[in-house]
PDB file of all heavy atoms in Angstrom:
ATOM      1  N   HIS A 120       8.211   5.521  18.348  1.00  0.00           N
ATOM      2  CA  HIS A 120       8.215   5.623  19.805  1.00  0.00           C
ATOM      3  C   HIS A 120       9.494   6.270  20.331  1.00  0.00           C
ATOM      4  O   HIS A 120       9.722   6.292  21.547  1.00  0.00           O
ATOM      5  CB  HIS A 120       8.020   4.232  20.405  1.00  0.00           C
ATOM      6  CG  HIS A 120       6.744   3.582  19.961  1.00  0.00           C
ATOM      7  ND1 HIS A 120       5.517   3.856  20.534  1.00  0.00           N
ATOM      8  CD2 HIS A 120       6.485   2.716  18.943  1.00  0.00           C
ATOM      9  CE1 HIS A 120       4.576   3.176  19.912  1.00  0.00           C
ATOM     10  NE2 HIS A 120       5.125   2.480  18.938  1.00  0.00           N
ATOM     11  N   ALA A 121      10.296   6.798  19.443  1.00  0.00           N
ATOM     12  CA  ALA A 121      11.552   7.439  19.850  1.00  0.00           C
ATOM     13  C   ALA A 121      11.507   8.946  19.654  1.00  0.00           C
ATOM     14  O   ALA A 121      12.537   9.605  19.691  1.00  0.00           O
ATOM     15  CB  ALA A 121      12.716   6.845  19.056  1.00  0.00           C
ATOM     16  N   VAL A 122      10.302   9.487  19.435  1.00  0.00           N
ATOM     17  CA  VAL A 122      10.137  10.930  19.267  1.00  0.00           C
ATOM     18  C   VAL A 122       8.968  11.401  20.128  1.00  0.00           C
ATOM     19  O   VAL A 122       8.025  10.654  20.379  1.00  0.00           O
ATOM     20  CB  VAL A 122       9.886  11.320  17.797  1.00  0.00           C
ATOM     21  CG1 VAL A 122      11.119  11.098  16.952  1.00  0.00           C
ATOM     22  CG2 VAL A 122       8.696  10.561  17.218  1.00  0.00           C
ATOM     23  N   ALA A 123       9.063  12.638  20.588  1.00  0.00           N
ATOM     24  CA  ALA A 123       7.949  13.298  21.272  1.00  0.00           C
ATOM     25  C   ALA A 123       7.452  14.389  20.344  1.00  0.00           C
ATOM     26  O   ALA A 123       8.126  15.397  20.147  1.00  0.00           O
ATOM     27  CB  ALA A 123       8.399  13.883  22.608  1.00  0.00           C
ATOM     28  N   GLN A 124       6.295  14.194  19.765  1.00  0.00           N
ATOM     29  CA  GLN A 124       5.847  15.089  18.707  1.00  0.00           C
ATOM     30  C   GLN A 124       4.518  15.743  19.054  1.00  0.00           C
ATOM     31  O   GLN A 124       3.680  15.182  19.760  1.00  0.00           O
ATOM     32  CB  GLN A 124       5.737  14.335  17.390  1.00  0.00           C
ATOM     33  CG  GLN A 124       4.754  13.183  17.433  1.00  0.00           C
ATOM     34  CD  GLN A 124       4.818  12.349  16.180  1.00  0.00           C
ATOM     35  OE1 GLN A 124       5.850  12.191  15.562  1.00  0.00           O
ATOM     36  NE2 GLN A 124       3.681  11.796  15.791  1.00  0.00           N
ATOM     37  N   VAL A 125       4.352  16.934  18.518  1.00  0.00           N
ATOM     38  CA  VAL A 125       3.141  17.719  18.720  1.00  0.00           C
ATOM     39  C   VAL A 125       2.474  17.893  17.353  1.00  0.00           C
ATOM     40  O   VAL A 125       2.980  18.641  16.510  1.00  0.00           O
ATOM     41  CB  VAL A 125       3.468  19.098  19.321  1.00  0.00           C
ATOM     42  CG1 VAL A 125       2.181  19.903  19.552  1.00  0.00           C
ATOM     43  CG2 VAL A 125       4.274  18.955  20.610  1.00  0.00           C
ATOM     44  N   PRO A 126       1.359  17.221  17.092  1.00  0.00           N
ATOM     45  CA  PRO A 126       0.682  17.385  15.798  1.00  0.00           C
ATOM     46  C   PRO A 126       0.056  18.780  15.687  1.00  0.00           C
ATOM     47  O   PRO A 126      -0.544  19.280  16.643  1.00  0.00           O
ATOM     48  CB  PRO A 126      -0.397  16.297  15.821  1.00  0.00           C
ATOM     49  CG  PRO A 126       0.000  15.359  16.922  1.00  0.00           C
ATOM     50  CD  PRO A 126       0.717  16.200  17.925  1.00  0.00           C
ATOM     51  N   VAL A 127       0.189  19.396  14.525  1.00  0.00           N
ATOM     52  CA  VAL A 127      -0.374  20.731  14.305  1.00  0.00           C
ATOM     53  C   VAL A 127      -0.943  20.819  12.893  1.00  0.00           C
ATOM     54  O   VAL A 127      -0.594  20.022  12.010  1.00  0.00           O
ATOM     55  CB  VAL A 127       0.685  21.848  14.496  1.00  0.00           C
ATOM     56  CG1 VAL A 127       1.197  21.871  15.931  1.00  0.00           C
ATOM     57  CG2 VAL A 127       1.845  21.688  13.504  1.00  0.00           C
ATOM     58  N   HIS A 128      -1.806  21.786  12.681  1.00  0.00           N
ATOM     59  CA  HIS A 128      -2.304  22.136  11.355  1.00  0.00           C
ATOM     60  C   HIS A 128      -2.110  23.630  11.156  1.00  0.00           C
ATOM     61  O   HIS A 128      -2.266  24.417  12.100  1.00  0.00           O
ATOM     62  CB  HIS A 128      -3.782  21.769  11.198  1.00  0.00           C
ATOM     63  CG  HIS A 128      -4.045  20.304  11.180  1.00  0.00           C
ATOM     64  ND1 HIS A 128      -4.216  19.551  12.333  1.00  0.00           N
ATOM     65  CD2 HIS A 128      -4.178  19.419  10.145  1.00  0.00           C
ATOM     66  CE1 HIS A 128      -4.423  18.286  12.012  1.00  0.00           C
ATOM     67  NE2 HIS A 128      -4.415  18.179  10.692  1.00  0.00           N
ATOM     68  N   PHE A 129      -1.779  24.022   9.953  1.00  0.00           N
ATOM     69  CA  PHE A 129      -1.626  25.437   9.631  1.00  0.00           C
ATOM     70  C   PHE A 129      -1.970  25.627   8.157  1.00  0.00           C
ATOM     71  O   PHE A 129      -1.984  24.657   7.384  1.00  0.00           O
ATOM     72  CB  PHE A 129      -0.200  25.923   9.923  1.00  0.00           C
ATOM     73  CG  PHE A 129       0.875  25.233   9.113  1.00  0.00           C
ATOM     74  CD1 PHE A 129       1.396  25.821   7.968  1.00  0.00           C
ATOM     75  CD2 PHE A 129       1.362  23.984   9.502  1.00  0.00           C
ATOM     76  CE1 PHE A 129       2.379  25.185   7.219  1.00  0.00           C
ATOM     77  CE2 PHE A 129       2.356  23.341   8.756  1.00  0.00           C
ATOM     78  CZ  PHE A 129       2.861  23.941   7.623  1.00  0.00           C
ATOM     79  N   LYS A 130      -2.241  26.849   7.762  1.00  0.00           N
ATOM     80  CA  LYS A 130      -2.593  27.129   6.375  1.00  0.00           C
ATOM     81  C   LYS A 130      -1.412  27.757   5.645  1.00  0.00           C
ATOM     82  O   LYS A 130      -0.682  28.576   6.211  1.00  0.00           O
ATOM     83  CB  LYS A 130      -3.804  28.069   6.307  1.00  0.00           C
ATOM     84  CG  LYS A 130      -5.121  27.406   6.716  1.00  0.00           C
ATOM     85  CD  LYS A 130      -6.288  28.327   6.461  1.00  0.00           C
ATOM     86  CE  LYS A 130      -7.599  27.669   6.879  1.00  0.00           C
ATOM     87  NZ  LYS A 130      -7.928  26.495   6.043  1.00  0.00           N
ATOM     88  N   ASN A 131      -1.238  27.365   4.389  1.00  0.00           N
ATOM     89  CA  ASN A 131      -0.241  28.049   3.573  1.00  0.00           C
ATOM     90  C   ASN A 131      -0.854  29.328   2.999  1.00  0.00           C
ATOM     91  O   ASN A 131      -2.019  29.655   3.253  1.00  0.00           O
ATOM     92  CB  ASN A 131       0.316  27.124   2.476  1.00  0.00           C
ATOM     93  CG  ASN A 131      -0.695  26.792   1.381  1.00  0.00           C
ATOM     94  OD1 ASN A 131      -1.786  27.369   1.296  1.00  0.00           O
ATOM     95  ND2 ASN A 131      -0.323  25.864   0.515  1.00  0.00           N
ATOM     96  N   ARG A 132      -0.102  30.063   2.229  1.00  0.00           N
ATOM     97  CA  ARG A 132      -0.542  31.368   1.743  1.00  0.00           C
ATOM     98  C   ARG A 132      -1.749  31.300   0.804  1.00  0.00           C
ATOM     99  O   ARG A 132      -2.402  32.313   0.548  1.00  0.00           O
ATOM    100  CB  ARG A 132       0.615  32.072   1.030  1.00  0.00           C
ATOM    101  CG  ARG A 132       1.057  31.416  -0.270  1.00  0.00           C
ATOM    102  CD  ARG A 132       2.360  31.989  -0.784  1.00  0.00           C
ATOM    103  NE  ARG A 132       3.470  31.685   0.121  1.00  0.00           N
ATOM    104  CZ  ARG A 132       4.708  32.144  -0.039  1.00  0.00           C
ATOM    105  NH1 ARG A 132       4.976  32.936  -1.059  1.00  0.00           N
ATOM    106  NH2 ARG A 132       5.656  31.812   0.802  1.00  0.00           N
ATOM    107  N   HIS A 133      -2.039  30.099   0.309  1.00  0.00           N
ATOM    108  CA  HIS A 133      -3.160  29.944  -0.619  1.00  0.00           C
ATOM    109  C   HIS A 133      -4.413  29.396   0.064  1.00  0.00           C
ATOM    110  O   HIS A 133      -5.427  29.166  -0.593  1.00  0.00           O
ATOM    111  CB  HIS A 133      -2.763  29.029  -1.773  1.00  0.00           C
ATOM    112  CG  HIS A 133      -1.554  29.502  -2.520  1.00  0.00           C
ATOM    113  ND1 HIS A 133      -1.578  30.582  -3.371  1.00  0.00           N
ATOM    114  CD2 HIS A 133      -0.272  29.037  -2.519  1.00  0.00           C
ATOM    115  CE1 HIS A 133      -0.359  30.773  -3.872  1.00  0.00           C
ATOM    116  NE2 HIS A 133       0.442  29.853  -3.378  1.00  0.00           N
ATOM    117  N   GLY A 134      -4.314  29.146   1.369  1.00  0.00           N
ATOM    118  CA  GLY A 134      -5.469  28.658   2.099  1.00  0.00           C
ATOM    119  C   GLY A 134      -5.559  27.158   2.231  1.00  0.00           C
ATOM    120  O   GLY A 134      -6.533  26.639   2.792  1.00  0.00           O
ATOM    121  N   THR A 135      -4.577  26.416   1.738  1.00  0.00           N
ATOM    122  CA  THR A 135      -4.558  24.968   1.902  1.00  0.00           C
ATOM    123  C   THR A 135      -4.111  24.631   3.319  1.00  0.00           C
ATOM    124  O   THR A 135      -3.113  25.160   3.806  1.00  0.00           O
ATOM    125  CB  THR A 135      -3.597  24.322   0.894  1.00  0.00           C
ATOM    126  OG1 THR A 135      -3.998  24.672  -0.432  1.00  0.00           O
ATOM    127  CG2 THR A 135      -3.602  22.802   1.033  1.00  0.00           C
ATOM    128  N   THR A 136      -4.834  23.741   3.977  1.00  0.00           N
ATOM    129  CA  THR A 136      -4.464  23.313   5.326  1.00  0.00           C
ATOM    130  C   THR A 136      -3.399  22.228   5.246  1.00  0.00           C
ATOM    131  O   THR A 136      -3.607  21.185   4.604  1.00  0.00           O
ATOM    132  CB  THR A 136      -5.687  22.789   6.091  1.00  0.00           C
ATOM    133  OG1 THR A 136      -6.655  23.848   6.214  1.00  0.00           O
ATOM    134  CG2 THR A 136      -5.290  22.331   7.488  1.00  0.00           C
ATOM    135  N   LEU A 137      -2.271  22.466   5.888  1.00  0.00           N
ATOM    136  CA  LEU A 137      -1.151  21.521   5.904  1.00  0.00           C
ATOM    137  C   LEU A 137      -1.023  20.896   7.290  1.00  0.00           C
ATOM    138  O   LEU A 137      -1.297  21.537   8.304  1.00  0.00           O
ATOM    139  CB  LEU A 137       0.153  22.229   5.535  1.00  0.00           C
ATOM    140  CG  LEU A 137       0.169  22.974   4.189  1.00  0.00           C
ATOM    141  CD1 LEU A 137       1.546  23.581   3.940  1.00  0.00           C
ATOM    142  CD2 LEU A 137      -0.223  22.050   3.047  1.00  0.00           C
ATOM    143  N   TYR A 138      -0.585  19.660   7.302  1.00  0.00           N
ATOM    144  CA  TYR A 138      -0.364  18.928   8.555  1.00  0.00           C
ATOM    145  C   TYR A 138       1.129  18.922   8.874  1.00  0.00           C
ATOM    146  O   TYR A 138       1.961  18.709   7.994  1.00  0.00           O
ATOM    147  CB  TYR A 138      -0.865  17.491   8.429  1.00  0.00           C
ATOM    148  CG  TYR A 138      -0.489  16.619   9.613  1.00  0.00           C
ATOM    149  CD1 TYR A 138      -1.182  16.728  10.816  1.00  0.00           C
ATOM    150  CD2 TYR A 138       0.553  15.704   9.533  1.00  0.00           C
ATOM    151  CE1 TYR A 138      -0.839  15.940  11.912  1.00  0.00           C
ATOM    152  CE2 TYR A 138       0.907  14.909  10.613  1.00  0.00           C
ATOM    153  CZ  TYR A 138       0.201  15.025  11.807  1.00  0.00           C
ATOM    154  OH  TYR A 138       0.552  14.254  12.870  1.00  0.00           O
ATOM    155  N   GLY A 139       1.463  19.148  10.135  1.00  0.00           N
ATOM    156  CA  GLY A 139       2.858  19.118  10.547  1.00  0.00           C
ATOM    157  C   GLY A 139       3.030  18.467  11.900  1.00  0.00           C
ATOM    158  O   GLY A 139       2.058  18.248  12.646  1.00  0.00           O
ATOM    159  N   GLU A 140       4.267  18.138  12.216  1.00  0.00           N
ATOM    160  CA  GLU A 140       4.613  17.597  13.528  1.00  0.00           C
ATOM    161  C   GLU A 140       5.833  18.328  14.068  1.00  0.00           C
ATOM    162  O   GLU A 140       6.888  18.352  13.427  1.00  0.00           O
ATOM    163  CB  GLU A 140       4.888  16.092  13.443  1.00  0.00           C
ATOM    164  CG  GLU A 140       3.628  15.286  13.162  1.00  0.00           C
ATOM    165  CD  GLU A 140       3.860  13.808  12.975  1.00  0.00           C
ATOM    166  OE1 GLU A 140       5.027  13.351  12.969  1.00  0.00           O
ATOM    167  OE2 GLU A 140       2.855  13.084  12.834  1.00  0.00           O
ATOM    168  N   ILE A 141       5.658  18.967  15.221  1.00  0.00           N
ATOM    169  CA  ILE A 141       6.765  19.582  15.947  1.00  0.00           C
ATOM    170  C   ILE A 141       7.388  18.495  16.812  1.00  0.00           C
ATOM    171  O   ILE A 141       6.708  17.876  17.638  1.00  0.00           O
ATOM    172  CB  ILE A 141       6.254  20.735  16.834  1.00  0.00           C
ATOM    173  CG1 ILE A 141       5.640  21.842  15.982  1.00  0.00           C
ATOM    174  CG2 ILE A 141       7.374  21.277  17.713  1.00  0.00           C
ATOM    175  CD1 ILE A 141       4.841  22.857  16.784  1.00  0.00           C
ATOM    176  N   VAL A 142       8.656  18.223  16.603  1.00  0.00           N
ATOM    177  CA  VAL A 142       9.345  17.173  17.357  1.00  0.00           C
ATOM    178  C   VAL A 142      10.201  17.849  18.426  1.00  0.00           C
ATOM    179  O   VAL A 142      11.123  18.609  18.109  1.00  0.00           O
ATOM    180  CB  VAL A 142      10.199  16.294  16.430  1.00  0.00           C
ATOM    181  CG1 VAL A 142      10.799  15.134  17.219  1.00  0.00           C
ATOM    182  CG2 VAL A 142       9.360  15.763  15.272  1.00  0.00           C
ATOM    183  N   LEU A 143       9.885  17.597  19.675  1.00  0.00           N
ATOM    184  CA  LEU A 143      10.521  18.300  20.788  1.00  0.00           C
ATOM    185  C   LEU A 143      11.956  17.826  20.990  1.00  0.00           C
ATOM    186  O   LEU A 143      12.264  16.635  20.835  1.00  0.00           O
ATOM    187  CB  LEU A 143       9.723  18.083  22.071  1.00  0.00           C
ATOM    188  CG  LEU A 143       8.265  18.538  22.031  1.00  0.00           C
ATOM    189  CD1 LEU A 143       7.599  18.272  23.381  1.00  0.00           C
ATOM    190  CD2 LEU A 143       8.165  20.017  21.669  1.00  0.00           C
TER     191      LEU A 143
END
Side-chain angles (χ1 to χ4, degrees):
H120 301 279
V122 291
Q124 60 188 32
V125 181
V127 297
H128 292 86
F129 62 98
K130 288 187 180 294
N131 69 10
R132 67 191 66 185
H133 303 287
T135 302
T136 299
L137 304 182
Y138 172 77
E140 290 176 355
I141 297 167
V142 185
L143 301 181

